[in-house]
Amino acid sequence: MSCVDEKIVEETRKILDGYKKEKDNLIPILNDIQVKFGYIPKKSQMEISKYLGIPMAEIFGVITFYSRFSLEPKGKYNISVCLGTACFVKGSQAIFDRLKERLKLEDGQTSADGKFSIDTTRCVGACGIAPVFTVNNEVYGHATVKKLDEVLDKLEKEG
Amino acid sequence: MKTIEELNKIRAEKRIELDLRKNTNADTREKHILVCNGTGCTSSKSPEILENFKRIIEEKGIQNVRVIKTGCFGLCAKGPIVIIRPEDTFYAMVKPEDCEEIIQSHIVEGKVVERLLCKDIDGKKVNRLDDLTFYKKQKRIALKNCGVINPEDIDEYIAFDGYRALARVLVEMSPDEVIDTIDKSGLRGRGGAGFPTGKKWKSTREAKGDKKFVVCNADEGDPGAFMDRSILEGDPHAVLEAMEIAGYSIGAEKGYIYVRAEYPIAVNRLQIAINQAREYGILGENIFGTGFNFDIEIRLGAGAFVCGEETALLESIEGKRGQPRVKPPYPAQSGLWGCPTLINNVETYANIAQIILKGPEWYSSIGTENSKGTKVFALGGNVNNVGLVEVPMGTTLREIVYDIGGGIPNGREFKAAQTGGPSGGCIPKEHLDTPIDYESLKAIGSMMGSGGLIVMDDTKCMVCLAKFYLQFTVSESCGKCTPCRIGTKRMLEILEKLCSGEGTEYDIYRLEKLAVNIQKSSICGLGQSAPNPVISTLKYFREEFRQHAIEKECKAMECKALARIEIDEEKCKACGLCQKNCPVNAIEGEGREKRHINQDKCIKCTTCIRSCPFHAIG
């Protein structure tokens, strides 16, 4: 086992210690792991499987069902464009199209250098300043294609 | 552990202290600066504003001023919002650097900062919150504490009659009396379908089982809807109190709140509220010494729209994939782990305590014959006052869009409003005067839904909108039943064909047929209602579908394959705004020259259409 794997196992066990061995704790545990690592590593899944007595296949089924869980790490900058109705009506599709075009990525993909990942979200609750996109957790309101370009220029320079 | 007497004492003391929150003539030297910390304002830096106020007050050593973090005031379009009580001065779009001026001018010198006052629809600046047209036609019941109290302080909730309904229920009323009261009030489920709440409680009470559960559905997945979130962020105790009352009525000792993980602020405030209630002994064992036990746990949703469906939500709480169950049996008979379970939506719960305190007659006097009380709407899209509004049932759409919402921005025309999200339908101009209640909305092919209300102007293509909702349903379909899993995908493909100019008239016929079949044969509400956006747009905007299929034209210019954006030379005033805003420099012409669009460069993003002050582009 590599030292990265060891660390994952160790951290996963720490999270598991906070939960009783009951099957209905699966989703709260996965949530904690997603927050901790930014994705759900296979080693974590194995630990959960042993701890709760749930087969790996079933855990995989739950992870892939819920859009919040991801099996791959996200990029350094995760850019999400809100495609909730309020943002959509105000033109967020054009913003997402531009994002895909500039980074040459599709929804849910991460760039080869691990710097950018992009996806769409459904309503971050900032409908008052629609359309919005977020970079990691920072919200950019009243977004335009131009504003997105400016943000991307800045992030590309920052490295 | 608090007794009812101790609770009454907190209420009496706190009420005097907080009188200035609701009474503009309050006899006090204190001032409260209320800063909205709902999600909308938080994303435009309101936490920084809150900190700035606190820091400046401390630095200047100003006495008798408190800075309070509150939930949503409703007028999200003007955020971040700061209100100063008791005088009720309403400051809009405040920036962190404005704090200094507000403190110096308003608090120290007693002069209102004119430049930060909010402009009303007529363009005049308004001093007080209550004078804004936005608030005049509203009636706040579910939102009564939002923007008034600090949601992280249980004492403030108690001051405004919090937990008084629970105390009354536990001491003075039998479970049947409580259910009877709710039944008489005429309250119906606010999550969408409008099932009578009293009946639901009754059948859960009558169901046989040693163990029963109370569940709060806070999985608000409808894109563009944020009513439940605002209630949880602004008044979390109201939901806890109502769940306890429900628990007492049906005979349950355990409750779950299933809330979206995408709502971190709401989750955090709920957890604080639960902890405080436990500390006070209002949650836990032997509540108020009456022998009633009840505890509440939070369960986080993980981003699946279908989990808003009650049986899918139960599966998810049990730790499984959120796939709906076949009904019957209904959750009232067999819910969580097979036990009788009561599921209500956040907004439904937010009405309960007040029905108990003010009586069912009071509640049923508001609204229409079959839809009682008020409804909260998240007003969004192409409307001036984007935000959260609560109106009595029976208010017309016109009143909401024009009087409260302030009309359509940029001088555009109203085209349609969408209610009920991906399960609802479009309401066209000719039905603007329909009173909003469960039956009337159904009659015109839409539904109440959870309360998302999106307004669209004449730049919106209805075929595109139908496609947008189908994209949503396709990605959110859980895959359990075939009509929904495959049928919606086929519908989306047809819509994509139409939008790209490859559709035929026969496609419209196929689309319609498929829609009816999916409606009839899906297992759960998601599938059964998935075709609604298509059916209602076809009903009112059939001509647009025809234009896409036969004339290969999208008049709204949204379908890029069918759009050609041009500048009307007669209307163009050569102001150059379109050129300035164009992201790809596709607009040509200099100085006083009329502008024109280089079609080879144009990406049809429509930014120019929206930026032209003379409506010369289309």
Side-chain angles (χ1 to χ4, degrees):
Chain A
M1 220 161 33
S2 74
C3 68
V4 179
D5 285 347
E6 268 171 38
K7 190 135 201 292
I8 286 172
V9 171
E10 192 190 320
E11 293 286 346
T12 306
R13 282 187 185 151
K14 255 191 227 162
I15 289 170
L16 289 172
D17 280 344
Y19 288 94
K20 284 187 195 152
K21 288 188 179 180
E22 285 163 4
K23 286 188 181 178
D24 57 299
N25 281 331
L26 175 60
I27 293 173
I29 290 171
L30 290 175
N31 247 320
D32 284 359
I33 293 188
Q34 175 73 37
V35 171
K36 179 91 207 168
F37 302 112
Y39 74 113
I40 300 174
K42 198 155 183 197
K43 288 278 173 211
S44 295
Q45 297 173 39
M46 288 158 86
E47 286 302 310
I48 300 169
S49 172
K50 273 189 271 176
Y51 189 79
L52 295 179
I54 301 176
M56 284 287 281
E58 215 171 285
I59 294 178
F60 183 79
V62 172
I63 293 173
T64 50
F65 185 84
Y66 295 98
S67 63
R68 199 177 153 75
F69 302 144
S70 121
L71 290 164
E72 280 166 32
K74 294 254 190 283
K76 183 178 170 196
Y77 300 109
N78 183 38
I79 307 175
S80 296
V81 179
C82 178
L83 279 186
T85 323
C87 285
F88 175 78
V89 167
K90 292 206 167 174
S92 64
Q93 185 68 46
I95 294 166
F96 188 59
D97 289 346
R98 177 69 180 164
L99 181 65
K100 286 197 288 192
E101 187 193 321
R102 269 216 41 181
L103 296 176
K104 307 222 162 25
L105 295 172
E106 285 301 314
D107 190 357
Q109 287 183 338
T110 305
S111 60
D113 58 359
K115 193 166 164 188
F116 292 105
S117 53
I118 67 169
D119 57 17
T120 58
T121 63
R122 303 282 181 184
C123 202
V124 292
C127 309
I129 50 173
V132 303
F133 64 89
T134 61
V135 179
N136 296 336
N137 281 323
E138 196 174 334
V139 180
Y140 293 81
H142 300 297
T144 56
V145 171
K146 210 165 185 174
K147 199 161 172 181
L148 174 78
D149 276 341
E150 284 164 15
V151 172
L152 286 177
D153 288 344
K154 207 178 109 214
L155 293 179
E156 272 169 358
K157 251 183 237 153
E158 268 174 20
Chain B
M1 172 90 133
K2 300 267 190 263
T3 60
I4 293 181
E5 288 69 39
E6 281 171 308
L7 209 67
N8 288 340
K9 204 170 147 229
I10 297 177
R11 173 175 311 118
E13 282 168 6
K14 269 279 172 183
R15 189 72 179 88
I16 297 169
E17 192 187 317
L18 300 181
D19 189 38
L20 75 168
R21 296 276 177 87
K22 284 197 170 171
N23 179 4
T24 42
N25 301 317
D27 180 24
T28 176
R29 289 178 57 209
E30 262 205 36
K31 281 195 193 306
H32 287 182
I33 303 177
L34 310 179
V35 184
C36 175
N37 265 249
T39 299
C41 287
T42 298
S43 46
S44 26
K45 297 191 178 160
S46 73
E48 203 179 320
I49 296 172
L50 188 88
E51 287 314 311
N52 275 3
F53 274 129
K54 284 187 180 161
R55 184 178 45 81
I56 296 166
I57 286 168
E58 205 186 300
E59 278 171 10
K60 297 198 173 194
I62 299 169
Q63 300 294 313
N64 296 328
V65 175
R66 276 171 63 192
V67 187
I68 320 280
K69 175 200 259 191
T70 71
C72 183
F73 295 112
L75 192 49
C76 305
K78 307 281 186 209
I81 294 170
V82 171
I83 293 181
I84 300 181
R85 307 262 184 189
E87 56 267 48
D88 196 22
T89 308
F90 187 98
Y91 289 125
M93 295 180 159
V94 178
K95 294 197 178 66
E97 52 271 26
D98 295 329
C99 297
E100 186 87 42
E101 188 181 346
I102 292 176
I103 295 281
Q104 187 56 36
S105 171
H106 189 120
I107 304 288
V108 178
E109 296 163 22
K111 276 192 305 206
V112 170
V113 185
E114 292 280 339
R115 114 190 132 79
L116 292 172
L117 288 178
C118 186
K119 269 191 196 157
D120 209 348
I121 304 170
D122 55 8
K124 280 190 195 133
K125 292 206 164 179
V126 171
N127 213 321
R128 294 176 52 230
L129 177 136
D130 286 341
D131 293 338
L132 277 168
T133 333
F134 178 75
Y135 290 100
K136 278 188 186 156
K137 285 205 170 169
Q138 295 198 47
K139 182 169 182 66
R140 300 197 142 205
I141 296 176
L143 298 176
K144 86 170 171 108
N145 280 335
C146 287
V148 176
I149 63 165
N150 176 354
E152 296 177 10
D153 184 349
I154 189 170
D155 286 350
E156 294 206 357
Y157 178 67
I158 293 172
F160 293 103
D161 291 332
Y163 292 111
R164 223 175 105 195
L166 177 68
R168 180 180 294 175
V169 163
L170 293 183
V171 176
E172 298 169 18
M173 295 168 86
S174 73
D176 287 324
E177 280 170 341
V178 179
I179 292 177
D180 202 38
T181 306
I182 302 299
D183 199 32
K184 271 194 195 140
S185 74
L187 176 66
R188 294 170 65 176
R190 296 291 190 251
F195 191 81
T197 307
K199 285 210 172 58
K200 210 180 211 180
W201 288 30
K202 196 163 179 226
S203 64
T204 321
R205 173 163 174 76
E206 284 165 356
K208 286 199 175 66
D210 303 335
K211 229 178 173 184
K212 293 183 183 178
F213 295 100
V214 174
V215 173
C216 171
N217 183 348
D219 189 52
E220 189 175 45
D222 174 0
F226 50 95
M227 302 74 53
D228 295 349
R229 194 200 67 223
S230 299
I231 293 171
L232 294 175
E233 285 175 0
D235 197 13
H237 285 285
V239 176
L240 304 186
E241 183 176 5
M243 286 178 73
E244 289 190 64
I245 294 172
Y248 172 74
S249 310
I250 66 157
E253 294 195 341
K254 176 97 194 185
Y256 289 96
I257 302 178
Y258 187 88
V259 54
R260 292 178 74 191
E262 289 91 335
Y263 287 175
I265 300 176
V267 173
N268 181 27
R269 292 199 186 142
L270 261 178
Q271 194 58 59
I272 292 173
I274 290 175
N275 294 346
Q276 288 176 344
R278 280 187 189 144
E279 215 172 284
Y280 273 31
I282 296 173
L283 267 182
E285 284 178 10
N286 195 14
I287 295 162
F288 296 139
T290 58
F292 172 63
N293 308 326
F294 198 81
D295 203 12
I296 295 174
E297 221 177 277
I298 298 176
R299 280 298 155 98
L300 295 186
F305 175 69
V306 70
C307 289
E309 201 279 338
E310 52 185 12
T311 57
L313 184 148
L314 297 176
E315 289 283 304
S316 185
I317 293 183
E318 291 180 16
K320 301 179 206 154
R321 286 166 72 95
Q323 289 181 322
R325 303 170 180 170
V326 178
K327 292 191 274 191
Y330 290 92
Q333 278 77 44
S334 171
L336 266 185
W337 297 288
C339 304
T341 303
L342 174 76
I343 307 184
N344 279 134
N345 153 278
V346 173
E347 195 190 329
T348 316
Y349 283 128
N351 285 295
I352 299 290
Q354 291 181 76
I355 293 174
I356 302 282
L357 288 178
K358 295 185 181 168
E361 294 78 18
W362 162 79
Y363 195 79
S364 62
S365 71
I366 305 162
T368 61
E369 198 189 339
N370 291 315
S371 305
K372 301 297 185 192
T374 57
K375 178 77 194 88
V376 183
F377 287 100
L379 190 59
N382 302 122
V383 61
N384 279 314
N385 293 335
V386 173
L388 204 63
V389 304
E390 183 172 359
V391 289
M393 293 275 190
T395 306
T396 66
L397 190 59
R398 188 184 298 279
E399 287 174 287
I400 297 180
V401 173
Y402 286 94
D403 299 347
I404 297 172
I408 318 294
N410 307 325
R412 287 275 166 194
E413 284 278 311
F414 173 90
K415 183 168 186 179
Q418 216 277 350
T419 62
S423 316
C426 278
I427 305 170
K429 215 165 155 182
E430 58 262 36
H431 288 302
L432 261 176
D433 290 309
T434 310
I436 295 205
D437 60 35
Y438 291 100
E439 277 71 26
S440 313
L441 284 180
K442 217 169 167 186
I444 56 171
S446 185
M447 68 182 274
M448 182 75 81
S450 55
L453 205 168
I454 310 286
V455 181
M456 280 159 284
D457 66 15
D458 53 358
T459 63
K460 291 290 154 307
C461 164
M462 290 295 130
V463 186
C464 236
L465 183 84
K467 187 181 84 176
F468 164 76
Y469 279 115
L470 257 297
Q471 277 170 339
F472 181 83
T473 334
V474 167
S475 76
E476 294 298 334
S477 172
C478 77
K480 183 168 178 170
C481 70
T482 321
C484 177
R485 182 183 68 242
I486 298 178
T488 55
K489 178 92 179 140
R490 292 289 98 86
M491 281 180 81
L492 176 61
E493 284 164 5
I494 297 175
L495 287 164
E496 277 168 349
K497 253 177 98 182
L498 287 169
C499 287
S500 60
E502 288 157 21
T504 61
E505 203 167 8
Y506 181 61
D507 283 323
I508 302 178
Y509 165 79
R510 276 173 59 215
L511 192 64
E512 220 164 6
K513 194 140 193 198
L514 201 51
V516 176
N517 285 340
I518 294 170
Q519 233 177 6
K520 282 185 185 159
S521 53
S522 298
I523 289 184
C524 82
L526 191 145
Q528 286 158 12
S529 61
N532 286 0
V534 172
I535 293 174
S536 81
T537 42
L538 265 173
K539 183 171 171 189
Y540 296 116
F541 301 96
R542 200 179 194 89
E543 186 52 30
E544 260 186 74
F545 279 79
R546 243 183 47 80
Q547 282 163 2
H548 281 71
I550 299 166
E551 285 144 36
K552 310 287 173 205
E553 191 185 4
C554 173
K555 287 208 164 135
M557 311 270 182
E558 263 205 288
C559 300
K560 291 185 181 163
L562 305 175
R564 189 184 158 86
I565 299 175
E566 274 164 357
I567 299 175
D568 183 343
E569 287 214 355
E570 276 179 24
K571 287 189 188 162
C572 177
K573 301 267 189 286
C575 69
L577 258 180
C578 54
Q579 211 164 17
K580 219 171 128 194
N581 284 304
C582 178
V584 291
N585 299 323
I587 298 176
E588 294 166 352
E590 276 171 43
R592 300 296 306 155
E593 277 171 32
K594 306 266 182 193
R595 301 299 192 265
H596 67 271
I597 298 173
N598 181 340
Q599 297 294 341
D600 295 333
K601 282 190 184 170
C602 175
I603 56 166
K604 290 155 188 162
C605 68
T606 68
T607 305
C608 54
I609 301 183
R610 274 173 279 132
S611 64
C612 178
F614 311 107
H615 302 311
I617 310 178

